[in-house]
Amino acid sequence: SSGINAEYGDICQRLFHRVTSCAMSSSPEVIKKQRFKRPGRLYVKAVFTGYRRGLRNQHEDTALLRIDGVVERKDTDFYLGKRCAYVYHAEKKKKFPRRAKPTKVRVIWGKIMRPHGNSGVVRASFKRNLPASAMAHRVRVMLYPSRV
């Protein structure tokens, strides 16, 4: 019984010595992992709900966006003139002038033009018309240019 306790104490002492010597030494093996926090979101989420349309005709040059948290026409005033971006992934990688590596990510830029109806939906005009496959997908509404 006393032999087992002595052996146990000896093992504990050796482990403690190893842990303290590793913590005290500034060896390159012991590197504290640092968690990288992603920066905050600098845009407002919106959903592309469809094109501006009447009973029989639809106008693909004007997209309707439902912005998160906007439920009345008067709330849309802040967003008028803001830039919006539809970000999507293409099939093939493409080289862009200001990027080091080719990427599959593409963007279609647009601008919020005016409100649409009384429920907080806005009309947006994009450089190239949004594809129909983008319906019910995310659009980023940037917080610039500022009119405040």
Side-chain angles (χ1 to χ4, degrees):
S1 158
S2 64
I4 294 171
N5 285 342
E7 197 175 318
Y8 178 73
D10 190 39
I11 290 171
C12 288
Q13 192 173 9
R14 272 188 272 152
L15 282 174
F16 178 75
H17 180 69
R18 264 193 214 149
V19 170
T20 53
S21 65
C22 285
M24 298 299 252
S25 70
S26 59
S27 63
E29 301 161 355
V30 182
I31 298 171
K32 189 176 180 183
K33 282 191 176 181
Q34 188 178 14
R35 283 184 51 205
F36 291 104
K37 191 175 179 187
R38 292 184 63 197
R41 180 166 46 90
L42 297 177
Y43 60 88
V44 178
K45 296 188 226 177
V47 176
F48 171 46
T49 56
Y51 303 109
R52 179 172 66 93
R53 54 168 297 167
L55 187 61
R56 290 169 187 84
N57 301 326
Q58 92 175 358
H59 306 277
E60 289 92 359
D61 58 338
T62 307
L64 301 180
L65 305 179
R66 178 172 295 286
I67 303 170
D68 281 8
V70 179
V71 291
E72 290 184 1
R73 188 182 182 97
K74 64 180 168 76
D75 298 338
T76 62
D77 187 51
F78 172 79
Y79 295 100
L80 301 185
K82 298 280 191 274
R83 309 295 299 179
C84 44
Y86 171 63
V87 180
Y88 64 101
H89 292 273
E91 196 144 320
K92 297 199 174 190
K93 289 189 173 185
K94 186 176 177 182
K95 182 89 172 79
F96 289 101
R98 289 188 295 270
R99 285 189 71 92
K101 293 192 285 185
T103 178
K104 288 184 177 184
V105 178
R106 311 276 166 84
V107 183
I108 301 176
W109 285 96
K111 185 169 73 172
I112 294 179
M113 308 301 282
R114 54 172 290 186
H116 178 82
N118 294 319
S119 61
V121 176
V122 294
R123 297 181 192 180
S125 177
F126 286 81
K127 296 284 185 208
R128 292 183 306 282
N129 297 345
L130 290 184
S133 59
M135 278 189 203
H137 283 83
R138 179 72 66 216
V139 174
R140 300 176 180 186
V141 177
M142 304 302 172
L143 296 175
Y144 54 83
S146 176
R147 296 185 307 129
V148 178

